[in-house]
């Protein structure tokens, strides 16, 4: 696959890309999310950010063993390690929220995030077409601390 000509990779591929530039870009996105007090405004954008976070943690996995983590940070790392395999850490209601895509008869899509305790059923006009657990937004404070520790170590 030719990455340079593929629009999906435009913001992350360059001739001289390095891990530090990828981390810097992630840190910028993380700080933007923090400006909103880690509140989710757009469900679809949030899901993409969770996937990006999973990618970053896969890249940094070896670095994680080289830094000292607090108990809370260790918990988040364990959640992320399991999440990359779509294995989920209990208690589910505490660690994840649900992302759902709804479609109506005219083809309109609606993206929704909800607490796992909420029971949402499809109505006459809306059909659930996709649903997945994503990392709870409250963990991004710890994720930020972990990423900054790795950046400062290197």
């Amino acid at each position: 696959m030719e990455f340079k000509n593929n629009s999906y990779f435009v913001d992350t591929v360059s001739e001289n890309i390095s891990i530090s530039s990828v981390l810097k870009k992630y840190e910028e996105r993380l700080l933007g999310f923090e400006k909103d007090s880690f509140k989710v405004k757009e469900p679809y954008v949030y899901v993409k950010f969770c996937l990006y976070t999973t990618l970053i943690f896969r890249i940094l996995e070896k670095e994680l063993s080289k830094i000292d983590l607090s108990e809370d940070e260790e918990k988040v790392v364990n959640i992320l390690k399991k999440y990359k395999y779509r294995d989920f850490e209990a208690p589910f209601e505490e660690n994840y929220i649900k992302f759902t895509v709804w479609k109506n008869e005219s083809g309109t899509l609606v993206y929704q995030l909800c607490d796992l305790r909420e029971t949402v059923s499809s109505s006459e006009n809306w059909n659930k077409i996709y649903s997945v657990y994503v990392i709870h937004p409250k963990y991004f404070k710890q994720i930020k601390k972990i990423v900054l520790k790795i950046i400062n170590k290197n």
Side-chain angles (χ1 to χ4, degrees), residues 42-137:
E42 299 177 46
Y44 183 71
V45 172
Y46 179 73
V47 169
K48 287 186 355 181
F49 187 68
C50 285
L51 293 173
Y52 190 42
T53 299
T54 304
L55 171 67
I56 292 295
F57 267 81
R58 290 190 82 166
I59 292 170
L60 300 175
E61 222 165 351
K62 289 184 181 177
E63 299 295 320
L64 291 171
S65 63
K66 298 175 186 174
I67 61 172
D68 292 324
L69 297 173
S70 69
E71 190 175 316
D72 289 339
E73 292 167 343
E74 194 70 47
K75 177 183 176 180
V76 172
V77 167
N78 288 332
I79 289 169
L80 286 165
K81 282 181 180 179
K82 282 188 166 189
Y83 188 75
K84 75 178 182 183
Y85 296 112
R86 296 302 179 252
D87 188 13
F88 302 104
E89 179 85 19
F92 308 114
E93 297 82 12
E94 181 183 316
N95 295 332
Y96 308 98
I97 56 177
K98 190 186 301 183
F99 172 74
T100 306
V101 180
W102 298 89
K103 179 180 168 187
N104 68 7
E105 292 172 2
S106 66
T108 302
L109 297 177
V110 172
Y111 305 109
Q112 177 188 39
L113 286 173
C114 68
D115 189 295
L116 298 184
R117 290 170 278 230
E118 293 178 29
T119 55
V120 181
S121 60
S122 53
S123 69
E124 288 181 24
N125 298 330
W126 293 94
N127 295 308
K128 184 185 334 182
I129 59 171
Y130 183 75
S131 186
V132 66
Y133 289 0
V134 291
I135 301 162
H136 201 289

